[in-house]
Amino acid sequence: MSARTPDPKEIEELLLGGELRYTRLDAVRLAGVTSDFSERLWRAFGYPHLPDDAVAFTEGDIAALCRVRRLIEDDVLDEDGVMRMVRAVGQTMSRLAEWQVDLLTARLVSEAAETPSSEAVELILEVAEKHIADFEPLIVHAWRRQLAAAGTRAVAAGHDDETAPARTYAAVGFADMVAFTQMSRELDELDLARVVERFEETASDVVAANGGRLVKTLGDEVLFSADTPQLGAELALCISEAIKNQAGVPDVRVGVAYGPVVPLMGDLFGTTVNLAARLTSIARPGSIVVDVGLATELEQSERYDITRIVRRPARGLGIIQPYVLRRRARA
């Protein structure tokens, strides 16, 4: 006897933790918000458009709308700030959810199967139903930990000082896998995904262990930052060294610049970020190239060797003076 194909509505209600009972108009009325506001919020979360008469909302959705409304009423955020916050949460949670489903599928479905069978789907849902209550507190805990770290960084940067500038100084670096385009032609999708995952895991672990911040991952590239020039240099060297010891992952080229940046919505912007990207593009495989700002900060250090190389044109930045960064050999 074949397994029953799970009903999409059952799956949705299981994972949402409640019955689908309300239309969008019901949700608007019960939460005390306008239809335009709820539609903007829905789009900001990254959810698909639904007809007004579609029964697609739970009690949890109503409660979320009420919480967002109170944030505005209590003047914690204005409407524009709420939309920006929700968009950031939606994008982050979208990737996290896809990642978790992929992990469960890989764990419970045979690699030989191109698509999960109905039996496999039932098994995945059984695991989800049994353990979703364990995952939820972990996500909240991780968020609180990251919030504490971000708050500490903000205080350290002097954002509580009225005389502090809007920008802050940081060392910003890109680590880019060498010959990724060629590798993507030679490997199948699964093997390529595993290489990218090992690269991201290695870089992420190095950055976290040394007290830096992984700003974002871009497939074959990661963007990291550090509060001090010395830490920025150490992160670059440690990432390069760790990747060289990672079997099956190609070498990286790293570019690091030190200067003013503008933190916005969890990302970093400004000329310093653009300069780091340009330095990465001129670095040779396995090497680290830094800008004048970082080289100047490190020139008195006994831990690093800084070698000036030929000046180069950089798109949008004119002629730049790069330096090669190496770890100084011990006597």
Side-chain angles (χ1 to χ4, degrees), residues 6-307:
D7 179 4
K9 182 173 182 289
E10 293 178 22
I11 297 174
E12 196 169 4
E13 289 183 337
L14 166 64
L15 298 177
L16 287 173
E19 180 186 356
L20 298 174
R21 299 177 55 188
Y22 305 107
T23 66
R24 190 171 73 86
L25 296 180
D26 293 332
V28 165
R29 175 177 54 82
L30 292 169
V33 299
T34 67
S35 180
D36 177 67
F37 177 81
S38 72
E39 189 170 352
R40 286 186 63 204
L41 195 72
W42 192 253
R43 287 199 305 267
F45 267 122
Y47 304 146
H49 174 76
L50 294 172
D52 286 345
D53 60 350
V55 179
F57 294 85
T58 68
E59 293 285 355
D61 292 311
I62 309 298
L65 271 174
C66 291
R67 290 190 184 99
V68 170
R69 188 200 70 218
R70 285 196 295 272
L71 287 174
I72 297 175
E73 290 175 347
D74 294 344
D75 203 27
V76 176
L77 292 168
D78 58 15
E79 188 168 318
D80 183 56
V82 162
M83 295 302 167
R84 292 166 66 189
M85 179 192 71
V86 163
R87 185 168 288 107
V89 171
Q91 291 174 2
T92 303
M93 291 297 108
S94 173
R95 185 179 183 198
L96 176 61
E98 292 288 347
W99 202 339
Q100 290 173 324
V101 170
D102 287 346
L103 285 172
L104 275 177
T105 304
R107 175 72 177 84
L108 301 173
V109 178
S110 168
E111 291 187 6
E114 293 186 3
T115 56
S117 64
S118 57
E119 293 90 343
V121 173
E122 286 281 6
L123 183 58
I124 292 170
L125 291 177
E126 182 182 329
V127 171
E129 185 174 19
K130 185 176 180 180
H131 295 288
I132 195 167
D134 297 321
F135 285 121
E136 191 171 347
L138 287 175
I139 292 170
V140 174
H141 174 74
W143 170 69
R144 283 186 175 275
R145 272 286 178 183
Q146 295 292 351
L147 191 64
T152 303
R153 285 194 298 268
V155 172
H159 290 303
D160 56 338
D161 183 354
E162 294 181 359
T163 64
R167 299 182 298 176
T168 184
Y169 275 72
V172 180
F174 285 92
D176 176 49
M177 273 197 291
V178 176
F180 181 76
T181 302
Q182 179 182 346
M183 185 173 57
S184 65
R185 298 193 192 104
E186 297 171 351
L187 300 179
D188 62 33
E189 291 84 352
L190 184 58
D191 288 338
L192 184 65
R194 285 171 174 163
V195 171
V196 171
E197 186 176 23
R198 286 201 298 272
F199 164 65
E200 290 186 353
E201 284 178 352
T202 302
S204 177
D205 288 350
V206 167
V207 172
N210 287 278
R213 177 181 166 231
L214 189 70
V215 180
K216 60 184 175 184
T217 59
L218 305 164
D220 63 330
E221 189 174 55
V222 296
L223 170 61
F224 61 89
S225 70
D227 295 335
T228 67
Q230 292 75 18
L231 179 55
E234 197 61 29
L235 290 177
L237 288 162
C238 288
I239 290 174
S240 181
E241 291 160 359
I243 293 297
K244 284 180 180 178
N245 294 326
Q246 187 67 251
V249 180
D251 276 349
V252 293
R253 52 170 66 91
V254 186
V256 192
Y258 178 71
V261 296
V262 179
L264 183 64
M265 298 298 290
D267 208 340
L268 296 176
F269 299 90
T271 303
T272 304
V273 181
N274 296 336
L275 178 54
R278 302 292 182 268
L279 291 168
T280 306
S281 67
I282 68 174
R284 293 184 176 183
S287 71
I288 299 158
V289 176
V290 303
D291 74 325
V292 174
L294 192 64
T296 302
E297 294 289 335
L298 298 176
E299 62 183 359
Q300 301 301 323
S301 174
E302 297 180 355
R303 303 180 65 181
Y304 311 112
D305 279 325
I306 307 292
T307 305

